[in-house]
Every structure is written in structure tokens, then in C-alpha cells.
């Protein structure tokens, strides 16, 4: 059901996703999805949780093996941006107001923090600078999420700034913080 919901979300956006449409797409009765999800919000939480899992896996895989903090942060941020631009409706759901009250979905809240934790873990490896890691993590994640949203909404384009790719754009951006990442 979640896989079918992801496909519907990708093809039709939030407007096209409902339990009724999901039932039809999977060939089950209209009541069948309710044996797995209380309501549409439960379905959306499950879909978003899958999205956060995929985002964290992609970020971790892309940064595997890199020891240099700046390189890890660059890879994590570029991976985050690529995931968002390749999965716009899913990314919007993951960070949208539909699921703003994550207290109702503890596993979603836990999973949502994994990408943030990857950034924090990369920053915590800096020698002798652990006291500023929480603030620097918020700053880097905010920069990453803000840039990602602007690129997704086509408010800015990496090529406007002379960058040939997302990786180059992120590398130049992160370079501004390089003294804090050493």
C-alpha cells in the first residue's frame, strides 16, 4: 500500500492521494486500506516515514568512507538536495504541514531525525569543538534545507552562481563555513 501511495504521490501529487484512490490502484476493496491505516493522516505518516528512511539511506551511502568533515557535509547536503529535487511531492509531504504534529507518530518523528543526525554526527568528529556542534548542526541543516527548498521551487538555480552541478553549488556554499568545519 505504501509503495502504491508513493507512486500515486509522484504521479498525481497530494491532491490525487486518498485511501479510496489507493484501494482502486491496488485492486482491493475501499475498506481494505482501513485495516492498515486509521485515516489518510496515518497513510501520509507511513509514506513520509518511508521517505525519511530513503533520504537517510541515500545520504549515508553518498557520504560513506569520507573522513574529512567538510567533504562529508558537502556530500550529505548534495545528497539531501538531489533527493528533494528527484522526489518533490514526497519531500513536500515529509516537511509539510499535513504532518506537523509528529507527536501522533513517534516512529515518524524518530525517522525524520535521521538525516539531521547524519549531519550532527559528521560535525561531532571535529577535534576539540564539540561545544558548538548543536548550533553548527542547526545552521548547516537550515542552510541545506533552505537552499534545497529554493532550488526545488526554482527560485534559484545552481547555474546562476556559476555551478555546473548540485555538488559544485553545495561545495562552494559549504566552503564559506570551512573554518568552522576543520
Amino acid at each position: 500500500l505504501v509503495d502504491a501511495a508513493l507512486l500515486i504521490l509522484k504521479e498525481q501529487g497530494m491532491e490525487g492521494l486518498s485511501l479510496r484512490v489507493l484501494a482502486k490502484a491496488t485492486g482491493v476493496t475501499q475498506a481494505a486500506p482501513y485495516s492498515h491505516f486509521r485515516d489518510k493522516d496515518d497513510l501520509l505518516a507511513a509514506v513520509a516515514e518511508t521517505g525519511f528512511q530513503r533520504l537517510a539511506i541515500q545520504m549515508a551511502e553518498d557520504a560513506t568512507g569520507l573522513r574529512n568533515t567538510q567533504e562529508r557535509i558537502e556530500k550529505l547536503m548534495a545528497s539531501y538536495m538531489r533527493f528533494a529535487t528527484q522526489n518533490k511531492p514526497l519531500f513536500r509531504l515529509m516537511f509539510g504541514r499535513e504532518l506537523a504534529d509528529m507527536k501522533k507518530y513517534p516512529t515518524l518523528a524518530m525517522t525524520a531525525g535521521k538525516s539531521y543526525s547524519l549531519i550532527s554526527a559528521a560535525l561531532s568528529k571535529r577535534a576539540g569543538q564539540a561545544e558548538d556542534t548543536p548550533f553548527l548542526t542547526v545552521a548547516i541543516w537550515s542552510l541545506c534545507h533552505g537552499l534545497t527548498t529554493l532550488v526545488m521551487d526554482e527560485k534559484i538555480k545552481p547555474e546562476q552562481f556559476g555551478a555546473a552541478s548540485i555538488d559544485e553549488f553545495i561545495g562552494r556554499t559549504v566552503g564559506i563555513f570551512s573554518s568552522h568545519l576543520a
Side-chain angles (χ1 to χ4, degrees):
L1 289 172
V2 171
D3 287 341
L6 285 162
L7 184 61
I8 293 166
L9 183 64
K10 184 175 187 168
E11 293 175 352
Q12 301 175 34
M14 282 291 293
E15 309 78 38
L17 183 57
S18 69
L19 290 169
R20 182 181 309 242
V21 169
L22 182 59
K24 186 175 180 180
T26 55
V28 299
T29 67
Q30 286 186 13
Y34 288 96
S35 61
H36 300 280
F37 307 106
R38 278 187 319 243
D39 54 24
K40 184 177 178 181
D41 287 345
D42 265 7
L43 168 65
L44 295 178
V47 170
E49 186 173 338
T50 299
F52 280 115
Q53 289 169 346
R54 290 180 180 180
L55 171 61
I57 288 167
Q58 181 176 318
M59 289 173 67
E61 286 176 354
D62 288 351
T64 296
L66 297 174
R67 302 230 182 268
N68 177 285
T69 300
Q70 184 169 338
E71 289 175 354
R72 283 186 65 78
I73 293 298
E74 287 175 14
K75 284 294 185 190
L76 291 168
M77 288 177 67
S79 183
Y80 187 98
M81 187 177 287
R82 255 192 304 285
F83 178 89
T85 57
Q86 293 167 358
N87 300 281
K88 287 180 185 180
L90 175 58
F91 190 82
R92 290 188 200 290
L93 169 64
M94 290 162 55
F95 290 97
R97 67 178 181 266
E98 295 86 3
L99 299 172
D101 183 13
M102 285 198 195
K103 291 178 209 157
K104 289 172 51 178
Y105 307 101
T107 59
L108 172 60
M110 182 182 69
T111 306
K114 287 183 179 181
S115 58
Y116 183 87
S117 295
L118 289 167
I119 294 170
S120 183
L123 292 170
S124 70
K125 298 202 184 314
R126 297 168 309 128
Q129 299 178 15
E131 69 281 347
D132 67 346
T133 297
F135 181 76
L136 190 54
T137 302
V138 168
I140 293 292
W141 181 78
S142 298
L143 172 66
C144 179
H145 189 77
L147 284 174
T148 296
T149 302
L150 291 168
V151 168
M152 270 182 36
D153 292 342
E154 299 181 8
K155 303 290 185 200
I156 61 172
K157 296 178 179 166
E159 56 270 13
Q160 284 176 278
F161 301 95
S165 67
I166 286 175
D167 289 280
E168 184 181 338
F169 179 63
I170 293 296
R172 289 176 64 193
T173 303
V174 172
I176 295 168
F177 294 94
S178 62
S179 66
H180 296 287
L181 300 176

